[in-house]
């Protein structure tokens, strides 16, 4: 493909305008991945478009923001226990967006400062470092949140802990199930489990009246506690290896770990 | 912890709204013209942005482009649905708060009043294309058809306009 001709045709400008069909879009997206020149050209076009749109700004009335946030609250579904059930992936942006926007506003402030005085380059260095530290602080905070909540479950008397020990298939493997018989909540943690290929996943089963019941799938890379499907009754828990996504019946010959529920 | 995450999500969304509300509302209002309708579309657009954020893929382009397309498409749909008269001149740009430098207006011809400096600097046939696509909500095909200009020419003029704007805005 002749990259220059492709770019000169104006297809990227049509792409950022949002005018291509799904098929045309997919083709452009492929080319963005394949050719760094196209990716760079696209970036510049997008920035120019953004700056144009900023120049064409019109302020909306201030009450519009309230209405949007009200609508979002309505959309945020909550289950019977007050837990937020559906959540779009804004967590990806909690860090990136706030840091990026904070950085932009601090850089804009610097540019203004430039107009009137000479800028100490150390000041810029410090500001950038500050943003990096803020980003790391946020990451650490999130990790601590998760550890705290996992600890609460693990130490709670309402949860019965079942140790699942390794079978002959995997004598060294160990995993734990935390089960709250009254709320039916189940959490799983791995002590030691073998790495699996991409095609497979581990699947947890509850043994109820001698029959296996699916409790959910998980990966060997799991850290901390993972919330699984609810279980009303179980005499034992076991883990098998299934193809990714899980199976309706367990491949018992692959059983990795199993443990009996000991009621306290 | 799940609730805290929701609050953090809200905070990120809040920042995004504050940063881009003007640019996005501008794109919508210039297409639908009517203020009440424009506000409605802005609300629908941001709700859609909130709900569909998982479909945004950074390998496909910048976040702002994605948001702009959500807004533009909703605005164009609204225009086509017949809810508002496309030819309506009742809510003109003069009623809007915009960032246009008022001092420049004295030197402009009547054709370019209300346009930002960057567009005034474009050659006429390029400015024409940008105006109809970005300020009037035409698609490239609609523009080609209505003014009897080959689609390829429209695409080329838009390309040239964007190259010029990149230079004007000093994009590197």
């Amino acid at each position: 493909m002749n990259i220059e001709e492709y770019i000169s045709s104006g297809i990227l400008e049509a792409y950022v305008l949002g005018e291509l069909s799904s098929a045309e879009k997919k083709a452009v997206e492929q080319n963005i991945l394949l050719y760094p020149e196209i990716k760079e050209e696209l970036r510049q076009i997008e920035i120019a478009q953004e700056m144009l749109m900023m120049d064409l700004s019109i302020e909306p009335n201030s009450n519009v923001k309230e209405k949007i946030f009200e609508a979002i609250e309505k959309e945020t579904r909550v289950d019977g226990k007050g837990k937020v059930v559906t959540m779009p992936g804004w967590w990806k942006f909690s860090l990136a967006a706030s840091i990026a926007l904070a950085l932009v506003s601090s850089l804009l402030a610097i540019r203004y400062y430039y107009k009137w005085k000479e800028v100490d380059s150390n000041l810029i260095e410090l500001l950038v470092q500050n943003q990096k530290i803020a980003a790391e602080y946020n990451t650490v905070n999130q990790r601590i949140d998760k550890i705290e909540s996992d600890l609460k479950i693990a130490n709670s008397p309402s949860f019965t802990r079942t140790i699942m020990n390794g079978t002959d298939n995997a004598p060294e493997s160990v995993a734990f199930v935390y089960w709250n018989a009254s709320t039916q909540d189940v959490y799983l943690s791995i002590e030691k489990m073998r790495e699996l290929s991409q095609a497979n996943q581990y699947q947890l089963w509850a043994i109820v009246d001698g029959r296996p019941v699916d409790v959910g799938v998980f990966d060997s890379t799991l850290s901390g506690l993972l919330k699984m499907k609810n279980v009303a009754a179980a005499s034992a828990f076991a883990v098998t290896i299934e193809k990714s996504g899980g199976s309706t019946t367990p491949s018992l010959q692959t059983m990795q770990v199993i443990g009996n529920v000991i009621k306290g | 912890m799940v609730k805290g995450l929701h609050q953090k999500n809200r905070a990120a969304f809040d920042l995004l709204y504050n940063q881009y509300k003007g640019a996005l509302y501008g794109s919508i209002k210039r297409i639908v013209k009517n203020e009440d309708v424009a506000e409605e579309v802005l609300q629908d657009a941001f709700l859609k942005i909130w709900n569909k954020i998982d479909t945004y893929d950074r390998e496909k382009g910048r976040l702002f482009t994605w948001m702009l397309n959500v807004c533009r498409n909703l605005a164009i749909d609204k225009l086509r649905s017949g809810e508002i008269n496309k030819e309506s001149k009742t809510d003109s740009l003069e009623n809007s708060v915009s960032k246009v430098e008022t001092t420049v207006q004295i030197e402009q011809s009547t054709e370019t009043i209300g346009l930002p400096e960057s567009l005034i600097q474009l050659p006429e046939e390029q400015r024409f294309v940008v105006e109809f696509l970005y300020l009037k909500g035409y698609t490239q095909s609609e523009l080609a058809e209505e003014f009897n200009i080959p689609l390829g020419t429209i695409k080329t003029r838009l390309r040239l306009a964007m190259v010029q704007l990149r230079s004007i805005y000093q994009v590197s």
Side-chain angles (χ1 to χ4, degrees):
Chain A
M1 184 190 81
N2 185 325
I3 295 177
E4 270 188 46
E5 266 176 35
Y6 185 78
I7 288 176
S8 303
S9 71
I11 190 165
L12 296 178
E13 283 78 6
Y15 176 74
V16 310
L17 194 53
E19 290 211 2
L20 297 184
S21 69
S22 309
E24 288 168 329
K25 264 196 265 183
K26 282 210 172 82
V28 172
E29 282 152 16
Q30 288 270 37
N31 287 326
I32 293 168
L33 287 172
L34 283 172
Y35 303 103
E37 305 96 310
I38 293 182
K39 185 173 181 174
E40 173 58 20
E41 189 73 13
L42 177 71
R43 184 188 73 89
Q44 292 194 21
I45 295 167
E46 288 188 282
I47 292 174
Q49 179 178 251
E50 184 171 332
M51 300 195 69
L52 174 64
M53 297 319 294
M54 294 295 271
D55 265 354
L56 294 172
S57 274
I58 301 174
E59 274 302 296
N61 284 325
S62 50
N63 62 339
V64 175
K65 184 175 179 179
E66 264 175 62
K67 294 189 187 159
I68 292 172
F69 279 84
E70 262 172 41
I72 287 174
E73 291 309 314
K74 282 209 191 103
E75 290 269 337
T76 306
R77 287 200 329 227
V78 169
D79 69 12
K81 296 165 201 143
K83 287 211 182 106
V84 178
V85 172
T86 57
M87 190 180 312
W90 281 92
W91 58 270
K92 286 178 258 180
F93 295 86
S94 298
L95 278 181
S98 55
I99 299 307
L101 290 173
L103 191 59
V104 164
S105 33
S106 69
L107 285 177
L108 283 175
I110 292 171
R111 241 205 283 162
Y112 182 77
Y113 190 64
Y114 250 120
K115 271 191 186 179
W116 308 107
K117 303 191 179 194
E118 266 174 29
V119 177
D120 184 352
S121 62
N122 287 335
L123 178 63
I124 299 175
E125 200 38 47
L126 272 173
L127 279 167
V128 172
Q129 283 298 349
N130 228 15
Q131 302 299 352
K132 286 194 183 145
I133 291 169
E136 281 162 12
Y137 182 72
N138 271 326
T139 312
V140 169
N141 254 359
Q142 282 181 353
R143 285 205 201 130
I144 290 175
D145 278 345
K146 171 137 174 61
I147 291 170
E148 276 178 8
S149 107
D150 284 358
L151 270 175
K152 267 202 198 127
I153 292 163
N155 291 333
S156 161
S158 350
F159 279 87
T160 310
R161 188 176 83 147
T162 298
I163 305 173
M164 296 185 292
N165 285 307
T167 61
D168 288 341
N169 288 330
E172 311 248 319
S173 292
V174 181
F176 301 108
V177 173
Y178 295 88
W179 174 41
N180 184 328
S182 42
T183 63
Q184 301 188 2
D185 289 321
V186 176
Y187 290 87
L188 169 89
S189 78
I190 294 179
E191 176 66 30
K192 187 177 159 76
M193 300 275 282
R194 280 191 354 238
E195 208 183 298
L196 290 180
S197 80
Q198 290 275 24
N200 296 326
Q201 275 187 303
Y202 286 118
Q203 189 161 358
L204 178 67
W205 305 88
I207 313 298
V208 185
D209 295 331
R211 280 167 33 249
V213 173
D214 165 49
V215 186
V217 294
F218 62 97
D219 297 310
S220 56
T221 50
L222 172 65
S223 87
L225 290 181
L226 178 66
K227 189 167 202 313
M228 310 297 286
K229 298 183 182 175
N230 282 5
V231 164
S235 53
F237 287 99
V239 173
T240 59
I241 297 178
E242 309 294 341
K243 59 176 179 0
S244 272
S247 161
T248 47
T249 52
S251 312
L252 291 171
Q253 74 284 7
T254 69
M255 190 178 301
Q256 300 285 294
V257 291
I258 183 163
N260 290 322
V261 175
I262 299 163
K263 290 270 176 80
Chain B
M1 188 212 127
V2 169
K3 229 183 167 189
L5 192 59
H6 178 61
Q7 280 161 11
K8 285 172 194 163
N9 291 351
R10 282 265 323 257
F13 185 72
D14 190 88
L15 274 167
L16 219 57
Y17 179 80
N18 288 333
Q19 177 82 355
Y20 291 122
K21 63 187 166 169
L24 296 175
Y25 185 66
S27 78
I28 294 168
K29 186 154 196 307
R30 288 169 195 279
I31 294 172
V32 305
K33 307 236 187 326
N34 179 291
E35 186 173 286
D36 291 329
V37 174
E39 286 185 2
E40 201 187 301
V41 173
L42 185 68
Q43 282 169 48
D44 289 344
F46 266 96
L47 192 59
K48 192 168 183 184
I49 288 168
W50 169 262
N51 282 324
K52 301 264 179 201
I53 192 62
D54 288 322
T55 64
Y56 165 64
D57 180 352
R58 17 159 101 114
E59 295 303 320
K60 298 182 181 169
R62 294 168 71 91
L63 179 60
F64 178 79
T65 304
W66 181 75
M67 294 194 296
L68 178 66
N69 288 336
V70 169
C71 292
R72 227 181 98 82
N73 290 333
L74 281 175
I76 290 175
D77 282 348
K78 203 70 163 185
L79 199 61
R80 286 187 181 151
S81 72
E83 275 181 58
I84 19 166
N85 183 2
K86 191 170 183 171
E87 304 305 317
S88 162
K89 299 265 194 288
T90 53
D91 289 282
S92 68
L93 287 172
E94 285 144 28
N95 295 334
S96 322
V97 176
S98 77
K99 283 179 64 182
V100 174
E101 307 279 336
T102 49
T103 50
V104 183
Q105 284 178 3
I106 301 162
E107 286 128 40
Q108 292 174 24
S109 70
T110 46
E111 278 176 14
T112 56
I113 283 177
L115 289 183
E117 181 65 32
S118 58
L119 291 189
I120 293 167
Q121 288 184 35
L122 290 180
E124 199 186 312
E125 71 276 6
Q126 289 173 25
R127 182 178 64 241
F128 166 83
V129 166
V130 173
E131 256 195 83
F132 276 81
L133 295 178
Y134 282 97
L135 283 85
K136 297 191 180 173
Y138 276 65
T139 61
Q140 289 181 319
S141 347
E142 282 170 350
L143 191 54
E145 214 182 285
E146 186 159 324
F147 289 87
N148 225 357
I149 304 170
L151 183 59
T153 306
I154 303 283
K155 288 184 194 276
T156 306
R157 286 192 192 164
L158 178 62
R159 160 89 190 146
L160 291 171
M162 294 310 285
V163 168
Q164 272 286 79
L165 285 173
R166 280 155 65 178
S167 162
I168 291 169
Y169 287 124
Q170 296 178 316
V171 177
S172 56

